[in-house]
Each structure stands twice: as structure tokens, then as C-alpha cells.
């Protein structure tokens, strides 16, 4: 089982820049991209088929069709994504949208555009770590994508074998 | 808001090819001794052979979880070779309660105390603080720092599980790794922790499960070893192997001028609960070490912190739930297996298959150590001890060597296996950090483990003899 990060962003250059900035997570987590919400659900179906786990979504708000915030709210209704951590990466969410994202979608982080690549990586690492700790997942297969010092306590309960 | 709660779908893990093969081969191995008449083996022995072969296959392939196999052993013994056997046996057999008793064997009680103390040390952050304080004299030079880290890891690992020790010490080491330039120094440091944790586990009876398995089997034969007695037998090897590993790793990977800043800050929890815990833990360890003075067995002493920590509410129901019950039950399965093998006469029959007494004793011990080391490199250390300890102890009856020596040697051999990421959980953690590749782990693991194994098989029995420890 791999952990997956989904980048939902309609503008191709921005999408590619986000994926590039997360490049060195590749090999340790699965990075997927989607250009709109139907595309995002297709990715979620594919992850499910492969037995992988969507740990984190980085979503833009203003998208053609369904908005990013509406998508984040919908994630809570699907058993495959109810535990997915949610980050908005946007410059265009107004106060109403932001309030809805926090209150109804359980938004975990808000990254304003333009983002700082180091900060983006550190948010992703933190969110993945929180996800692993919260659900007591085995951290070892994903350790290099996580804050290793923070997940060490999870290993204590394992016992020798 | 919708009120229905989503349950994430819990799917069963899909069995691997190896696991499927394990189930099939296990079933065949189980049926053959029941269907084929085996000359020289009583019916009870034949049934026990079926259980033993099944246990070997299941523990090697992990077709079902290790602890499930352990529980299966107990169940099958009750159903097949006890007074409650479904098909009664003509000969005298153990009562079903004797097999169930493995779950509360004195060694399990000893471990219960050890686990509760170890978990308390984590709860009050005592392990990390002790590590910081003890590291102080080693600060300054990189190679000396690594020596300090390894000694402290080993000392913690004598009382805390090897895995938990590794987790604690990696939390200390990860910030150091993060600032070291990529390269050999990181590899050396990331290897030092698991090696020291694996080796440290041999130091006391509560250090790792194979010790408990050997101790339990020895006690069942009336040849128990005291806590201090075990330490006298094992600590010399532990120290020598540790120093060798330090020498090897620092010479190969760590230049003396490597910058290595250790976090030496400590802040001991001074809450009343923490202080009660320190007193209880300290008193328990003291009582373990002074058994010759007061004569209270280590298992009984191990039960004291269980009562004291629960009565003072320093630890409670949640802490009991969080104990590593699968490890305790895996050990219990091994104890029950040994009991069954002894009670049915299977041991005598198995040993009769080979003319062991024709082999030179040293060669025989070397063989045992090699089998223990080899098997536990690829399968669980505890499972190896579960399979090997009962056999080796019965082997000792016909030979001019002390059963205690054999039991301890087999347990220590299992602990020296550290050549692969899968050999031990500490190795798996080090490998997962990405700082150590399989090749580096294999080379150093074979060198350290091999060095230890040769000492264990050739030098250590003579040292014990010379010092009159047996």
C-alpha cells in the first residue's frame, strides 16, 4: 500500500510546478495530478483499485465546474477519502469559501499562492505524518516522506519478534 | 450534516504466494505423521510431531501471523495430546490446563513486569532523558559520541524491547543525521543504533523474547537461571560484540573529525506519578539484581511493579491494553511447544535419529549456533528460539554439556542475526530511513553477527566453565 498525494489544479503550468516541487517525495509516495473534479474522482477510483491510500489532497479553489472547496466537502462523504488530509493551494478563495472549507470540509492547511517550495514540502511532509500518526499506519514503508522523529513513537508498540 | 458514521473499509490482507504455499505444505506436514505409522514413535509422539512440523512451516512462512501459530500450537496440544484430547490416547498425558498454563508461565509474568516498566519509561520520557544524561561524557568527538550512543542503546535495550529502544534512540539520532552530509557517516550512525539494540537485547532475561523462551524451558526442567545469573553469562559477550561493532563501524564509516552535535538537554518529569514510577522501577531492577541476597525469584519480583503501578494508579487499564501481548503469547506458544515435545517423548525420538554423541561437542555447539543464527536471519528470532530451544535442551541430556549453557547459547545465537532488513525490527527501522542499503547492512551484520557467533560457540562456554558460572 502506497500513500498518495493528489494535486487538483486546472492550470497546467501551475499543476506542473506543484508536481515538480514535490518531486523528491516521488518513490516514497505516489504523486497524482488532476485538472478538474471528475478527473480527481477518476484518480481516486484508480488509487482504490491499486489498493493505495489517498493521504493528502492539494486543491485549488477556482476550477471549471465544481469548485475545489465543494470537492473537499464531498471527500467527507466517501469512505475512501473520509480520512484524507486537505490543503487549499489558492489565491482566489474569498472569505465565504474559506469559512466553508474550514467548517464543512475540515480543511487542514491553507497555502496562499504563490507558494514557497520549501514551505510546500514541509506542509506536505507534516500532513502525511499527521495522517500516518492519526491512523496508526505502519510508518516504515513511507518513512522517507515523513517526519521520521515524530513517527518513532508508533514503532514502540510493535515489540520484538 | 449527515449523521451516519463512515467506517473505512477494513480489507483482509491478500496472502502472498509464500503464505499460500505455507498453508498447503503446513497441512501436508501436519497430516503425514498422523496417517503414516512411524516406527519407534508412540501415538502421542506422532501427534506431537504433526503439531511440531506444522509449527515449523507456519513460523517459517508466516502463512498466519506468528502469534496465531503460537496459539494454534496450544489449541492443537489440548485437542490432540492432553487429557481432553478429542481422540483419547492410551498413554499418560498432561492435563489440558498444563498446556494453557504456558500463557501464565513465570517467564510470562517476568516479562509482564518488564514490559510495564519499559512502557512506563516511555510514558514519563525516562528513557530519552536518561540517554541525554548518559551521553554527556561522550560528547565532543564523533567516534566517541557513537560509542556513547551504542553503549546507551545497548543498556536501554537490556530492559526495554529492542524495537522500542531503536525508536527512542532514532528519535535522538534523526536530528544529527539530518545535518550530517550525505555519505558514509550517516550510514555508520544509522547502523550503530540497530546493531547496539540487537546486541543489547541479550544482556538480561527481559531484554528480548528468545531469552524468555530459553529461560522458560530451563525452568520447566528445574534448571532456572536467576536474573543476575543470566547477566553474568551474557553481558561479557554483549560488551565484547558491542565494542567490536563500534570499532568496525567507526573505522569503516566515521571519520574522527565528523561534526556531530548531540542534543544533551534533559528535562525529567517531576510529577508525583513520575516519581512513584522512578521509585518502583528502580526498586524492581535492584531486586532483580540482588536475587542471591533475598532469594525472591525474578518472576515474582517482576509481578511487584505490576501491582505497585496499578495500585498507585501510575499506570492503568489503558497501559495494560497497550502491552505487547502478541509478544507474550508468542513466547507462551514456544513454552507450550517445548512442554508438548517433552511430555510426548518426541524429543527422545528426534534425537535418536542422528548419532549426536559421535560428533565432537564443539562442532555440535557450532552447528546449533549456525542454525540459530541462520534461521533467525530470515525468520523471527522468537520463532527460531521456539523451535530450537526445546530440541537443543533435549540434545543436552545425552551430552557432557550443561543444559543451561545450551539454552543460553541458542537464545544468544538468535539475537546475533542482523544481516538483513527483515532480520529484526531495529534493522527494518534503520533500513526504512534510507541511510543504509541492504549491502551495507548485510556486510556489517554478517561481520558483527559472525564475530559474536564464533565467540559464543568456542570461547564463551570455556569462560563460563573457568569462572564457575554453571
Amino acid at each position: 500500500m502506497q500513500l498518495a498525494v493528489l494535486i487538483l489544479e486546472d492550470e497546467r503550468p501551475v499543476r506542473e510546478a506543484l508536481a515538480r516541487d514535490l518531486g523528491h517525495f516521488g518513490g516514497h509516495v505516489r504523486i497524482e495530478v488532476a485538472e478538474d473534479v471528475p478527473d480527481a474522482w477518476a484518480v481516486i477510483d484508480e488509487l482504490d483499485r491499486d489498493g493505495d491510500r489517498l493521504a493528502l489532497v492539494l486543491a485549488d479553489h477556482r476550477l471549471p465546474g465544481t469548485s475545489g472547496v465543494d470537492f473537499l466537502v464531498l471527500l467527507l462523504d466517501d469512505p475512501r477519502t473520509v480520512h484524507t488530509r486537505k490543503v487549499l493551494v489558492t489565491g482566489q478563495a474569498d472569505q465565504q469559501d474559506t469559512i466553508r472549507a474550514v467548517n464543512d470540509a475540515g480543511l487542514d492547511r491553507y497555502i496562499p499562492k504563490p507558494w514557497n517550495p520549501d514551505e510546500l514540502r514541509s506542509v506536505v511532509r507534516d500532513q502525511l505524518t499527521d495522517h500516518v500518526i492519526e491512523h496508526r499506519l505502519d510508518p516504515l514503508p513511507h518513512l522517507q516522506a515523513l517526519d521520521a522523529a515524530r513517527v518513532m513513537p508508533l514503532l514502540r508498540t510493535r515489540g520484538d519478534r | 450534516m449527515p449523521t451516519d458514521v463512515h467506517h473505512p473499509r477494513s480489507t483482509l490482507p491478500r496472502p502472498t504466494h509464500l503464505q499460500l504455499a505455507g498453508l498447503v505444505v503446513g497441512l501436508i506436514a501436519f497430516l503425514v505423521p498422523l496417517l503414516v505409522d512411524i516406527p519407534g514413535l508412540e501415538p502421542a509422539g506422532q501427534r506431537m510431531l504433526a503439531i511440531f512440523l506444522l509449527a515449523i512451516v507456519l513460523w517459517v512462512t508466516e502463512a498466519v501471523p506468528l502469534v496465531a501459530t503460537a496459539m494454534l500450537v496450544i489449541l492443537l496440544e489440548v485437542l490432540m495430546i492432553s487429557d481432553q484430547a478429542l481422540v483419547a490416547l492410551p498413554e499418560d498425558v498432561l492435563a489440558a490446563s498444563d498446556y494453557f498454563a504456558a500463557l501464565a508461565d513465570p517467564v510470562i509474568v517476568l516479562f509482564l513486569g518488564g514490559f510495564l516498566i519499559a512502557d512506563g519509561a516511555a510514558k514519563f520520557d525516562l528513557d530519552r532523558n536518561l540517554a541525554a544524561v548518559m551521553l554527556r561524557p561522550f560528547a565532543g568527538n564523533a567516534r566517541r559520541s557513537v560509542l556513547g550512543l551504542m553503549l546507551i542503546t545497548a543498556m536501554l535495550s537490556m530492559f526495554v524491547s529492542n524495537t522500542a529502544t531503536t525508536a527512542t534512540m532514532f528519535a535522538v539520532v534523526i536530528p544529527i543525521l539530518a545535518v550530517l552530509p550525505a555519505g558514509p557517516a550517516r550510514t555508520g550512525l544509522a547502523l550503530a543504533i540497530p546493531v547496539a539494540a540487537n546486541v543489547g537485547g541479550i544482556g538480561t532475561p527481559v531484554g528480548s523474547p528468545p531469552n524468555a523462551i530459553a529461560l522458560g524451558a530451563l525452568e520447566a526442567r528445574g534448571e532456572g537461571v536467576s536474573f543476575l545469573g543470566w547477566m553474568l553469562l551474557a553481558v561479557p559477550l554483549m560488551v565484547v560484540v558491542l565494542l567490536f561493532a563500534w570499532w568496525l563501524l567507526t573505522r569503516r564509516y566515521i571519520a574522527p573529525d565528523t561534526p556531530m552535535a548531540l542534543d544533551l538537554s534533559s528535562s525529567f518529569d517531576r510529577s508525583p506519578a513520575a516519581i512513584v514510577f522512578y521509585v518502583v522501577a528502580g526498586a524492581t531492577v535492584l531486586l532483580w539484581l540482588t536475587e542471591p541476597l533475598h532469594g525472591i525469584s525474578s518472576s515474582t519480583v517482576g509481578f511487584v511493579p505490576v501491582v505497585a503501578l496499578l495500585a498507585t494508579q501510575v499506570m492503568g487499564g489503558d497501559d495494560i491494553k497497550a502491552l505487547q501481548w502478541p509478544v507474550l503469547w508468542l513466547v507462551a506458544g514456544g513454552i507450550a511447544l517445548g512442554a508438548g515435545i517433552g511430555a510426548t517423548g518426541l524429543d527422545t525420538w528426534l534425537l535418536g535419529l542422528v548419532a549426536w554423541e559421535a560428533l565432537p561437542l564443539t562442532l555440535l555447539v557450532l552447528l546449533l549456533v549456525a542454525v540459530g543464527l541462520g534461521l533467525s536471519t530470515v525468520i523471527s528470532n522468537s520463532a527460531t528460539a521456539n523451535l530450537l530451544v526445546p530440541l537443543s535442551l533435549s540434545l543436552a541430556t545425552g551430552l557432557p554439556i550443561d543444559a543451561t549453557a545450551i539454552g543460553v547459547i541458542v537464545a544468544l545465537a538468535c539475537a546475533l542475526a542482523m544481516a538483513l532488513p527483515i532480520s529484526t525490527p531495529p534493522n527494518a527501522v534503520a533500513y526504512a530511513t534510507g541511510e543504509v542499503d541492504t549491502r551495507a547492512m548485510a556486510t556489517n551484520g554478517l561481520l558483527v553477527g559472525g564475530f559474536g557467533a564464533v565467540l559464543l560457540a568456542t570461547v564463551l562456554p570455556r569462560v563460563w566453565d573457568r569462572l564457575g558460572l554453571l
Side-chain angles (χ1 to χ4, degrees):
Chain A
M1 189 269 288
Q2 266 197 303
L3 294 183
V5 176
L6 170 62
I7 296 167
L8 172 56
E9 166 65 61
D10 59 332
E11 284 176 62
R12 188 166 165 186
V14 182
R15 193 164 66 232
E16 283 171 355
L18 281 168
R20 195 178 52 239
D21 285 346
L22 296 184
H24 70 227
F25 284 94
H28 311 303
V29 293
R30 185 167 164 178
I31 309 270
E32 291 287 343
V33 291
E35 56 180 32
D36 56 23
V37 170
D39 197 15
W41 285 113
V43 168
I44 290 169
D45 289 339
E46 192 189 321
L47 291 174
D48 190 49
R49 269 198 303 279
D50 296 347
D52 292 336
R53 183 178 173 110
L54 183 60
L56 174 63
V57 171
L58 302 173
D60 185 18
H61 173 55
R62 190 157 302 169
L63 298 167
T66 318
S67 78
V69 171
D70 285 334
F71 172 69
L72 295 184
V73 175
L74 286 175
L75 288 182
L76 287 177
D77 286 332
D78 191 307
R80 299 171 299 178
T81 52
V82 62
H83 299 301
T84 299
R85 309 221 32 125
K86 304 168 204 79
V87 174
L88 266 184
V89 187
T90 186
Q92 306 128 315
D94 64 19
Q95 197 187 16
Q96 275 317 105
D97 298 327
T98 314
I99 290 172
R100 180 162 148 73
V102 170
N103 289 352
D104 294 351
L107 188 72
D108 294 291
R109 274 303 198 102
Y110 186 111
I111 300 177
K113 282 179 184 165
W115 67 89
N116 166 326
D118 285 331
E119 203 180 298
L120 176 79
R121 283 190 280 269
S122 124
V123 166
V124 167
R125 189 176 290 277
D126 270 349
Q127 292 301 319
L128 291 174
T129 307
D130 286 342
H131 181 78
V132 164
I133 291 175
E134 188 182 343
H135 301 292
R136 306 194 68 79
L137 303 180
D138 177 2
L140 292 188
H142 330 291
L143 195 62
Q144 291 178 62
L146 305 174
D147 181 344
R150 257 199 318 130
V151 296
M152 281 299 146
L154 283 181
L155 298 168
R156 300 181 139 279
T157 51
R158 287 197 165 185
D160 294 343
R161 30 171 287 143
Chain B
M1 283 291 286
T3 50
D4 60 327
V5 180
H6 288 293
H7 296 285
R9 293 165 307 167
S10 50
T11 47
L12 289 172
R14 205 174 296 160
T16 63
H17 292 302
L18 176 67
Q19 288 173 319
L20 289 175
L23 289 175
V24 174
V25 175
L27 189 67
I28 297 169
F30 178 72
L31 289 177
V32 166
L34 299 177
L35 301 175
V36 178
D37 190 50
I38 297 166
L41 198 54
E42 300 292 307
Q46 296 206 9
R47 293 183 190 182
M48 190 61 222
L49 181 61
I51 299 173
F52 186 53
L53 292 178
L54 177 63
I56 294 177
V57 175
L58 292 184
W59 270 329
V60 169
T61 59
E62 285 194 50
V64 298
L66 296 170
V67 60
T69 303
M71 295 301 97
L72 179 66
V73 164
I74 297 181
L75 178 64
L76 289 178
E77 285 178 338
V78 169
L79 292 178
M80 294 169 67
I81 54 165
S82 77
D83 60 346
Q84 289 181 23
L86 296 177
V87 181
L89 282 162
E91 54 241 77
D92 266 351
V93 289
L94 288 181
S97 57
D98 287 331
Y99 290 113
F100 286 129
L103 290 164
D105 190 270
V107 167
I108 301 288
V109 174
L110 169 68
F111 257 57
L112 206 56
F115 280 4
L116 208 56
I117 288 182
D119 286 1
K123 185 172 170 170
F124 297 106
D125 224 11
L126 178 63
D127 46 4
R128 212 204 66 78
N129 281 309
L130 279 180
V133 170
M134 291 190 293
L135 266 175
R136 278 177 200 159
F138 297 97
N141 165 299
R143 286 182 174 173
R144 213 168 59 208
S145 298
V146 173
L147 178 64
L149 283 167
M150 291 182 78
L151 289 177
I152 289 155
T153 304
M155 271 176 73
L156 280 180
S157 179
M158 288 166 73
F159 296 94
V160 177
S161 81
N162 301 354
T163 312
T165 304
T166 305
T168 301
M169 294 308 291
F170 259 112
V172 173
V173 161
I174 282 165
I176 310 175
L177 286 173
V179 295
L180 278 179
R186 285 202 197 175
T187 308
L189 190 55
L191 269 173
I193 301 300
V195 166
N198 292 331
V199 173
I202 69 178
T204 72
V206 295
S208 71
N211 306 359
I213 292 156
L215 208 57
L218 287 168
E219 268 172 18
R221 299 164 54 105
E223 306 189 45
V225 184
S226 73
F227 200 94
L228 189 63
W230 181 284
M231 289 183 70
L232 289 174
L233 294 173
V235 169
L237 181 71
M238 180 193 105
V239 172
V240 173
V241 175
L242 210 54
L243 290 177
F244 172 76
W246 169 74
W247 175 82
L248 180 75
L249 292 177
T250 50
R251 279 350 173 241
R252 291 192 71 178
Y253 296 106
I254 295 173
D257 56 351
T258 312
M260 202 174 280
L262 304 170
D263 175 14
L264 302 173
S265 63
S266 60
S267 71
F268 283 91
D269 189 341
R270 291 195 171 79
S271 66
I275 289 169
V276 172
F277 173 76
Y278 301 153
V279 171
V280 171
T284 306
V285 173
L286 198 67
L287 284 171
W288 270 335
L289 298 180
T290 53
E291 186 179 328
L293 299 179
H294 52 70
I296 305 171
S297 82
S298 54
S299 306
T300 311
V301 170
F303 210 51
V304 171
V306 175
V307 175
L309 294 173
L310 292 176
T312 51
Q313 298 183 45
V314 168
M315 301 189 85
D318 287 341
D319 297 298
I320 299 179
K321 275 188 235 161
L323 290 178
Q324 293 138 24
W325 293 101
V327 177
L328 293 177
W329 286 7
L330 179 54
V331 172
I335 291 170
L337 190 73
I341 290 176
T344 55
L346 178 64
D347 50 355
T348 333
W349 178 82
L350 277 174
L351 297 170
L353 295 176
V354 180
W356 298 106
E357 53 295 341
L359 287 174
L361 189 59
T362 314
L363 188 66
L364 199 63
V365 174
L366 261 173
L367 199 68
L368 270 182
V369 168
V371 172
L373 189 71
L375 202 54
S376 59
T377 300
V378 286
I379 74 166
S380 134
N381 292 3
S382 311
T384 307
N386 278 348
L387 296 172
L388 218 52
V389 163
L391 292 184
S392 334
L393 287 187
S394 32
L395 185 65
T397 21
L399 294 170
I401 184 163
D402 195 285
T404 311
I406 289 288
V408 176
I409 284 173
V410 170
L412 301 196
C414 296
L416 291 171
M418 50 186 120
L420 294 174
I422 55 156
S423 297
T424 68
N427 281 19
V429 176
Y431 182 72
T433 61
E435 307 292 356
V436 186
D437 58 14
T438 311
R439 192 196 164 106
M441 187 167 276
T443 320
N444 295 290
L446 285 174
L447 286 171
V448 173
F451 171 80
V454 169
L455 279 187
L456 176 61
T458 57
V459 181
L460 207 60
R462 293 203 178 95
V463 173
W464 293 343
D465 232 20
R466 193 67 58 80
L467 297 176
L469 292 174
L470 292 173

